[in-house]
Amino acid sequence: MDNDLVLNIVPDDFIQATKAGNGKRGGRWTDRLKAKRVAKRRSRTEDSLPTEDAGSRLPTEDAGPRPAKRARKEAPEQQPTTSNRPSRPTQIISSLFSYNPQVEIPAKVSSSPIGAPSNAPLDASTFSGLGLSPLLISHLANKMNVHKPTAIQRAALPAFLSPAVDTAARDVFIQSQTGSGKTLSFLLPIIQDVLPLSSLSYIDRSIGTLAVIIAPTRELAKQISDVLETLLKLRLRPEEDVKGESDNSTRLTRWLVSGLLVGGSTRTHEKAKLRKGVPILVSTPGRLLDHLQNTSAFNVGKCRWLVLDEADQLMELGFEETITGIIKGLDGRRRLAKQAIAEGKSAEVGGWDWERRRRTILCSATIREEVQKLAGTALINPLMIKATEADKPTDVLPMEHTNSTQPKTFTPPSQLSQKYVVVPLKLRLVALVALLRTLVAQAQSNRGTKIVVFLSCTDSVDFHWKLLAGSTMDDDVEDSGIDSDEDIKAEPQTKPLVSERVQATCSFLPNVSVYRLHGSLPTSTRLASIKAFSGIKSKNKDSSQEPSYSVLLCTSVASRGLDLPLVRAVIQYDLPAEGGATEYVHRVGRTARAGKGGEAWSIVGPSEVGWVKWVEEKMQGKSANDTKQNVFLTGVAVESLLRTGFGGKSSEYEERATEVQLAFERWVLRGKDNLAMARNAFLSYMRAYATHPSSEKHIFHIRHLHMGHLAKAFALRDAPTNVTGTSLKVKQPKLRQSKSQQPREAAVKDWEQHDGDAEKRMKAIVRAQGRLTKKGGVMISSGASEFQISGGVALEKLVQGDYF
């Protein structure tokens, strides 16, 4: 009797489930591991079902009905055929309003009244009371419509125009809000200082450069140059003495000429202009240092004024060494000029005051560590001037001691209305269109209204500019809003692109012109975009045919110093990655300038809601009356924004937003270039998003983003893996094998490709060095190995003296 008999009785369904779970037994180990993981995942799913039978996959009534998919509104026959569209796999068009993360609707907060303008002109003071010349006062009032000074001008002008000895020779540090009129604060004193020189008989433009103004960007330099040219058109005599019949009239000559030096222009033309003489020069740092080092005809030895505008951005862009080189170059040119006069080798007319030192002005909206370092290098015994101080400027402590006394906050203008919208990633594109339509509709009575939209990278600016211009509701209409890529590439970039169009129109934004601006565009295109967006009309154009509203898509290159007129709103489509709250304030400072009102909108993602409180805390500060200024951002629901922008009853706005999104996606699929542009913009956005500093990673982290929803924001129907996979295929360079590892045939073939020039050059070098041997200059074995270690025979000859 065998007692070790064991019966194994199991149900048939368990045997089938076991066999199905075992997976493959043959093939590669990766296939077996993959099958095992799939079986394990299925078992977990079946265990989680609320049914009695684990093998059944049918959901019960307790699980609830599955939400119905939204019906597709687009007819299948409207899709482009394979003849005009590249062959692509089957794509799934996901709905805009399904599977979005739940966004908390902002609570209705009673809107606090907008404060009094903090950067408006003052009513209590006038330019005449500050000591400004009557010629300049009359020109400001009649030609520039400027009648009263702003707070920073009231504080700065007495320091520059005062005849007192203790303040006349001191450098100045100007700190003020954006849009407060800092440009006139240093231009007016410079012109008033050099204008009396016109009475000297020997003064003309060949006197050289007397004032140098440095700006960080080309756009800001061009803007300062335009304001300077407007100021230099002033009358040279009072209006009551135009004919010069009075005996007390001072005879002035028109010798003051302004010049502009920026990168991207022709150096030959700039050298010719510098050779003739440019009394007041506006330049970017790199081009100015280039001419100081390489242009001998640059007469800058008599320079009286040096202005460093937007010093914080100069340091951010890495111009610290360039600014130091410029200061040393100016000092060196001055020493050479004085030495030439002392030795009698100079052709300059005598009588110039060489004892007067150069005065340096540094303008910045913030006082950070980098700015303090630059001030310590460039300024000597400086005065600190702020818009909130009294008329009389006060002395400042040394820059290394200003951390404890100066506030670290940087607040926007108090009259600015700030709002934010929490938008799911899939709705970003249509939310931008809805917001633009809403702002344009609200400004129907104000023709010439302008809107600035900030994006994170240049590829995103180019993509959105062409997307808005090329997308239409009719699928058969081709691109007509912008020039073709072939036309743009065919035009030379060294000459001004006169015929290139910088303006585009969008069918979703009627009567609106769209422009773009970023650092990768040619200089001529950048300046033309700024000129067209600012509304500077040419003489030959008919103003009746121009659009009434303008939208500028730009990067942070337009966030500093640019005074763009009639900017009603600023939209931060991409939140700033560098600079934090300071960069935010600089961006929103393009509106609400000089006491005027404005709006600032921020598009915030669902994972970025914490940024709102974070930036509010960073901007808390004090107002001009030393009272605490609380800065708040008002929340707006995305549904309300879409309903206002697209209109319709109840949920009809969803259908209209879906149609707009489908129009964008059809444009992307229309050609390979459009698709490549969308992919590049998507990848560039991801790279820019990853550049947020570590202190902001709890808010901005790339892992918090839903890649599929984000691809929808760039009108892409591809999965994110397809986007990154096709765009990031970079050919890796093959490792070069050593001679011992290469096949003999490959080595011989590689050697046969040489033409012997390398050997000839090596022989010539050896002969030139004088290392000749008995073999006619050909290098022979000297007894040393490849590691320069001599062998035993060579050492023995060395000891015996055979080498001597």
Side-chain angles (χ1 to χ4, degrees), residues 315-562:
M315 300 301 291
E316 288 179 4
L317 297 178
F319 286 124
E320 179 181 0
E321 296 182 359
T322 306
I323 297 298
T324 304
I326 290 173
I327 295 176
K328 292 181 179 178
L330 293 176
D331 294 338
R333 293 289 183 107
R334 184 179 182 85
R335 286 194 301 267
L336 291 176
K338 294 175 66 176
Q339 181 180 356
I341 292 179
E343 296 176 356
K345 299 179 181 179
S346 176
E348 298 286 346
V349 180
W352 187 259
D353 185 11
W354 291 98
E355 299 301 326
R356 175 177 171 176
R357 60 175 294 270
R358 184 181 65 248
R359 198 170 189 183
T360 304
I361 304 173
L362 192 146
C363 301
S364 177
T366 58
I367 308 180
R368 292 181 292 184
E369 184 178 355
E370 298 86 357
V371 179
Q372 295 176 19
K373 184 179 179 181
L374 177 61
T377 304
L379 304 182
I380 300 175
N381 191 21
L383 287 169
M384 170 69 87
I385 297 178
K386 296 180 60 178
T388 57
E389 293 180 353
D391 294 345
K392 184 178 180 180
T394 57
D395 294 349
V396 291
L397 297 174
M399 286 300 169
E400 59 268 16
H401 301 296
T402 55
N403 274 341
S404 59
T405 59
Q406 299 297 334
K408 298 182 179 180
T409 57
F410 182 35
T411 58
S414 57
Q415 73 271 20
L416 178 65
S417 174
Q418 304 180 66
K419 303 177 183 179
Y420 73 95
V421 186
V422 181
V423 181
L425 296 181
K426 284 203 293 187
L427 299 176
R428 280 173 57 87
L429 204 52
V430 294
L432 175 62
V433 177
L435 180 56
L436 291 175
R437 290 172 60 90
T438 301
L439 294 175
V440 170
Q442 293 175 356
Q444 287 294 335
S445 59
N446 299 327
R447 296 181 63 88
T449 300
K450 299 172 177 56
I451 303 171
V452 180
V453 182
F454 284 98
L455 296 98
S456 60
C457 52
T458 60
D459 288 337
S460 183
V461 171
D462 291 336
F463 165 71
H464 286 89
W465 185 66
K466 292 192 176 181
L467 179 68
L468 291 176
S471 300
T472 57
M473 298 305 294
D474 188 1
D475 196 23
D476 297 332
V477 177
E478 294 295 334
D479 252 354
S480 59
I482 56 176
D483 291 343
S484 61
D485 294 339
E486 291 78 5
D487 296 337
I488 295 178
K489 292 179 180 178
E491 295 178 350
Q493 296 184 1
T494 57
K495 300 180 181 180
L497 303 180
V498 180
S499 60
E500 181 181 358
R501 293 179 56 191
V502 297
Q503 173 185 344
T505 56
C506 179
S507 60
F508 305 121
L509 304 171
N511 204 18
V512 175
S513 56
V514 186
Y515 305 91
R516 60 173 173 169
L517 177 66
H518 57 75
S520 299
L521 292 174
T523 304
S524 56
T525 305
R526 293 166 62 175
L527 297 180
S529 298
I530 288 292
K531 182 178 180 180
F533 178 74
S534 300
I536 303 176
K537 302 174 184 178
S538 61
K539 297 180 180 179
N540 300 328
K541 281 191 176 181
D542 185 8
S543 60
S544 61
Q545 299 179 357
E546 296 182 0
S548 302
Y549 311 97
S550 302
V551 175
L552 178 66
L553 306 179
C554 59
T555 58
S556 293
V557 72
S559 63
R560 303 296 182 95
L562 291 183

Side-chain angles (χ1 to χ4, degrees), residues 15-31:
I15 295 176
Q16 294 177 359
T18 305
K19 290 182 179 181
N22 289 338
K24 298 181 180 180
R25 291 188 177 276
R28 298 186 301 175
W29 67 272
T30 54
D31 297 336

Side-chain angles (χ1 to χ4, degrees), residues 32 293 451 470 685:
R32 295 195 299 271
Q293 295 174 346
I451 303 171
Y685 175 84

